[in-house]
Amino acid sequence: MSHVVIIGCGVVGATIAYELSKVKGLEITVVDRQPPALASTGAALGVLMGIISQKTKGKAWQMRQTSIQRYETLIPELEAVTGRKILFNRQGILMLLPEPSTSCLEGDAGILQWEKLQEIRQSQGFSLEIWDKTKLKQICPQVDNDKIVGAVYSRCDRQVDPTALTLALVDAAQHHGVTFKFDVQVLGIEPHPLPPPLERRGDTEPHSLSPSHERGRGAEKYCYQLETTQGKIAADWFVVAAGLGSSLLTAQLQQMIDIRPVLGQALHLRLGYSLGNPDFQPVITGDDVHIVPVGAGDYWIGATVEFPSNKDEIPPNKELLESVRQQAIAFCPDLAKATTIRTWSGLRPRPEGRPAPVIGKLPGYNNILLATGHYRNGVLLAPATADAIREMIVHNDF
């Protein structure tokens, strides 16, 4: 039996743990310095913009497609195993189109680009609708802004409560035998040029190397032990899914993956009644502002994008958060009547100098895998990330 240790229990680490828990012959341990879903996952809005994204080919699109399709089966699967109810909005995403002067997709060229994307999505088996202003007003009368000329409606995209999802993933993984160690600080991973000659968990028989470990006899190092504040944990594979914590850990192994924080703030507004048609409550997005219905006349509004100005310190900017609220009101004026229930913020892990996310083998190490740096797409890409990590471990497919 191979032992896999996952470092980090946000939505990405929890999804990896759950998907690996269904693979026979794996023992899985998850370690996190705090309880699950308290870092960037707990601050996310869970808007799954896959089909409506402009990604149409290559790995970026494949990961979105894999994740969007997996969510359709994952949510009912988790609810059946755990008995938990997970907020999962299946009514799609509505992207508002502003006047050409303020749009990143200008004038007729912008509409042509959406029409091209519509054709591509149809060929891929997904629906994407382009609405004019009249149709938008008929279906979503809550949108009342003279500068909005239409919308793109993606009925196949979704929104999920990231915290409820992560807690359900943890419960389901525990049901399948995964061990979780919370409030445990990782101090380091012990590297060696070669795998140790004896079984690392204290057995006296020689250790049988897997094919991937055999490749470790070359220039790559092999790590066999995680050092934590609660002792050492031996393992065959280590998966680093620690978000911003990944940089420090990889730096200790002289292969630092530089991941920087980007702050996001959001609000929870209570209107007391549904905007527009209560039976049609899609996520509404425009100008990078999301209006997320969460039931009973409540809405999440977000999110800001705030970069550090002094090292990694990013104090929340109240003016930016207010500008997000005002933009949401500009789209749906009824939101001006809403009461602010709470505000919150979190740090997103953004890779420096390379595309997000970072998934694959840590350079120079045979059995350390990276699943980190998802920036603003951690919830969206968690299923595809778990799928990629599973393939690497089960089939040594790098």
Side-chain angles (χ1 to χ4, degrees):
M1 178 174 286
S2 293
H3 188 190
V4 181
V5 168
I6 301 166
I7 304 166
C9 195
V11 66
V12 173
T15 306
I16 293 170
Y18 174 68
E19 296 291 8
L20 287 181
S21 73
K22 297 184 291 181
V23 177
K24 292 183 179 180
L26 293 183
E27 177 188 352
I28 302 155
T29 301
V30 182
V31 178
D32 200 308
R33 62 183 177 85
Q34 58 190 356
L38 289 188
S40 57
T41 295
L45 298 178
V47 179
L48 309 178
M49 301 180 70
I51 312 307
I52 207 169
S53 78
Q54 292 292 325
K55 307 294 185 182
T56 60
K57 59 184 179 180
K59 185 178 179 181
W61 160 244
Q62 291 169 4
M63 290 191 70
R64 282 166 172 78
Q65 182 181 25
T66 296
S67 289
I68 289 294
Q69 292 176 329
R70 176 59 177 133
Y71 268 119
E72 293 304 306
T73 58
L74 178 62
I75 299 301
E77 191 176 298
L78 291 173
E79 289 181 335
V81 171
T82 66
R84 288 177 175 266
K85 182 63 179 176
I86 303 168
L87 176 65
F88 186 55
N89 189 337
R90 291 181 169 87
Q91 297 192 16
I93 295 177
L94 185 70
M95 179 176 287
L96 304 179
L97 300 180
E99 290 179 336
S101 60
T102 58
S103 174
C104 61
L105 300 175
E106 292 290 336
D108 292 339
I111 295 299
L112 287 174
Q113 188 163 346
W114 283 115
E115 289 175 346
K116 181 179 178 181
L117 181 63
Q118 183 184 41
E119 291 178 3
I120 292 171
R121 292 296 184 242
Q122 186 174 5
S123 71
Q124 295 168 335
F126 299 101
S127 170
L128 203 62
E129 302 174 17
I130 300 175
W131 297 354
D132 61 18
K133 192 168 186 175
T134 300
K135 185 170 183 177
L136 173 62
K137 194 66 177 177
Q138 289 173 344
I139 299 176
C140 293
Q142 69 266 38
V143 178
D144 187 7
N145 185 307
D146 291 339
K147 295 182 179 180
I148 299 301
V149 298
V152 177
Y153 176 56
S154 176
R155 66 173 67 251
C156 299
D157 281 325
R158 302 287 183 256
Q159 184 271 334
V160 65
D161 182 331
T163 299
L165 169 64
T166 303
L167 295 178
L169 286 163
V170 171
D171 278 3
Q174 286 177 322
H175 182 78
H176 291 166
V178 175
T179 299
F180 288 86
K181 296 179 179 291
F182 297 120
D183 299 312
V184 175
Q185 187 78 34
V186 173
L187 303 177
I189 304 177
E190 297 185 11
H192 284 264
L194 294 173
L198 298 180
E199 183 66 55
R200 290 174 300 287
R201 288 182 291 275
D203 298 339
T204 56
E205 294 298 320
H207 177 59
S208 176
L209 302 178
S210 71
S212 66
H213 296 161
E214 289 286 2
R215 292 201 298 271
R217 292 183 182 277
E220 292 181 325
K221 293 181 180 180
Y222 174 87
C223 293
Y224 76 99
Q225 201 161 242
L226 187 73
E227 186 176 357
T228 77
T229 50
Q230 288 191 5
K232 297 182 177 182
I233 306 172
D236 302 281
W237 294 95
F238 299 91
V239 180
V240 180
L244 289 167
S246 304
S247 292
L248 181 60
L249 188 59
T250 56
Q252 294 174 355
L253 297 168
Q254 287 75 52
Q255 287 287 351
M256 180 178 175
I257 304 300
D258 191 3
I259 297 177
R260 308 283 179 86
V262 178
L263 184 77
Q265 298 184 76
L267 308 101
H268 181 166
L269 301 184
R270 177 158 295 163
L271 186 59
Y273 58 89
S274 297
L275 291 167
N277 181 355
D279 295 324
F280 182 61
Q281 292 287 296
V283 171
I284 296 175
T285 184
D287 197 24
D288 209 23
V289 171
H290 304 310
I291 302 171
V292 181
V294 292
D298 282 15
Y299 293 85
W300 292 345
I301 310 296
T304 65
V305 179
E306 303 173 50
F307 293 88
S309 56
N310 179 25
K311 296 184 179 180
D312 286 345
E313 295 181 7
I314 318 176
N317 186 320
K318 293 181 179 180
E319 292 180 358
L320 284 178
L321 183 59
E322 177 60 20
S323 71
V324 167
R325 189 178 78 90
Q326 291 299 330
Q327 182 62 77
I329 292 172
F331 291 148
C332 300
D334 272 11
L335 288 174
K337 306 171 188 176
T339 301
T340 300
I341 300 301
R342 68 183 178 108
T343 64
W344 71 94
S345 66
L347 298 174
R348 312 175 182 100
R350 178 179 178 269
E352 179 70 16
R354 63 191 296 173
V358 182
I359 301 172
K361 189 167 58 172
L362 180 67
Y365 290 88
N366 188 265
N367 63 331
I368 301 180
L369 304 178
L370 301 170
T372 189
H374 287 73
Y375 190 27
R376 302 179 72 183
N377 289 311
V379 183
L380 170 62
L381 299 180
T385 302
D387 184 66
I389 294 296
R390 183 185 62 240
E391 291 302 303
M392 292 177 199
I393 291 176
V394 175
H395 302 297
N396 301 306
D397 182 9
F398 301 115

